[in-house]
Amino acid sequence: MALAEATSPTLLWPGGAPGAIAGGKEAVRTTPAGEHVVTNVHVPSLTVYLPPVRNAVPGVVVIPGGGHRELWMDHEGHNVARFLASNGMGAFVLKYRLERAPNSPYKIEEHALVDLERAVRLVRSRSAEWSIDPAKIGTIGFSAGGQLALLGAMRFDAGDADASDPVERVSSRPDFVALVYPGGWPDTRFDANTPPMFLLSGSDDRPDVIRTLTQSFNMLREAKVPAELHFYDGVPHGFGLRSGTRGPVALWPRQFVDWLRVRRVL
């Protein structure tokens, strides 16, 4: 199925992100396997993937990981977005600012989280243009991107009705969230307004990832928030979505789509 991809990134703030270094230079390296890894992000943006046939389809902001030092843009970003678009969704790969990049002035809560919130607001504010259902906009985050998705599920707001920027008047609440081998957060709290969550990792991941997922699942159930938890036996950290992956873990994207169908999102 042919996919429509933006020919250039859509900037979150066309006039420059608040607190960003003007003229800062982004760096990209290519791994021996041909994957693209980005660091020193100063201009946060979205790359847009849309299905060829659409009418108020769900939208998903895809948040790559990389330890807040870099962004693994392919197996945790563009590959995921292409899969989602091929299954009838709009997908938006987020490039966000990184606290642990070399000489970075940025902070997770002050900049990366703000970039994610802006991304959700931007997709919702342009939903008519992109044929996205504004009530079905979610996030999926991997590793450090999963930590960011977790924060976004707790720190959202309804928007500022008095803001001069129309994007800032729009809600940043995701309607659903997927955490894929996420980093944790020390002050995790959920309530009845927390979005439904799809949680997954390999069983051989780091103890902190396993703890984040199991504790989050239990807390979500206590808050009566719909949640589904998957562990894949013998699988370590960082599998993402690669064409060469084999075994049950290769089916996780299809299970995510099935979960969205059960939730009547898709």
Side-chain angles (χ1 to χ4, degrees):
M1 182 180 292
L3 301 181
E5 179 183 343
T7 56
S8 59
T10 298
L11 303 185
L12 298 187
W13 287 273
I21 296 176
K25 299 297 182 182
E26 181 178 294
V28 183
R29 66 181 175 88
T30 304
T31 71
E35 295 189 310
H36 300 91
V37 184
V38 173
T39 191
N40 294 327
V41 175
H42 302 285
V43 183
S45 65
L46 291 173
T47 300
V48 181
Y49 293 80
L50 299 174
V53 178
R54 58 191 186 274
N55 181 18
V57 300
V60 187
V61 177
V62 182
I63 316 165
H68 296 290
R69 291 181 298 276
E70 55 193 14
L71 299 175
W72 285 72
M73 296 300 297
D74 295 325
H75 78 295
E76 295 177 349
H78 299 297
N79 294 354
V80 177
R82 292 186 187 99
F83 173 83
L84 295 174
S86 72
N87 282 272
M89 288 171 267
F92 305 84
V93 181
L94 176 62
K95 190 181 289 183
Y96 57 94
R97 288 171 286 178
L98 301 163
E99 179 177 275
R100 297 171 190 149
N103 303 311
S104 174
Y106 305 124
K107 300 298 180 185
I108 294 170
E109 294 177 270
E110 297 173 23
H111 302 96
L113 176 58
V114 170
D115 293 348
L116 172 58
E117 292 172 333
R118 177 73 176 194
V120 174
R121 295 189 212 277
L122 184 63
V123 174
R124 188 162 278 131
S125 70
R126 296 178 65 172
S127 59
E129 173 187 346
W130 286 325
S131 297
I132 301 295
D133 186 335
K136 295 181 178 180
I137 296 172
T139 62
I140 180 169
F142 298 79
S143 194
Q147 181 185 58
L148 205 56
L150 175 62
L151 277 170
M154 296 188 293
R155 306 283 186 87
F156 57 83
D157 62 62
D160 180 0
D162 298 323
S164 58
D165 181 349
V167 176
E168 292 299 316
R169 301 173 197 158
V170 180
S171 171
S172 64
R173 181 186 185 273
D175 297 300
F176 56 90
V177 174
L179 306 182
V180 186
Y181 45 83
W185 196 258
D187 186 24
T188 298
R189 297 181 183 179
F190 303 130
D191 58 31
N193 200 34
T194 300
M197 289 196 193
F198 183 85
L199 314 170
L200 71 151
S201 80
S203 65
D204 286 4
D205 211 318
R206 302 189 309 261
D208 65 294
V209 172
I210 303 298
R211 184 168 55 251
T212 293
L213 289 172
T214 53
Q215 291 180 349
S216 293
F217 179 77
N218 288 331
M219 292 170 66
L220 289 162
R221 301 306 291 176
E222 289 174 4
K224 302 188 184 310
V225 175
E228 186 165 304
L229 174 61
H230 296 261
F231 287 117
Y232 299 93
D233 189 37
V235 176
H237 191 78
F239 49 83
L241 179 53
R242 293 183 169 103
S243 60
T245 301
R246 296 292 180 266
V249 71
L251 301 178
W252 79 259
R254 176 56 55 191
Q255 290 173 322
F256 176 53
V257 169
D258 289 344
W259 179 75
L260 291 175
R261 288 199 172 106
V262 169
R263 297 295 313 155
R264 298 187 178 180
V265 172
L266 185 63

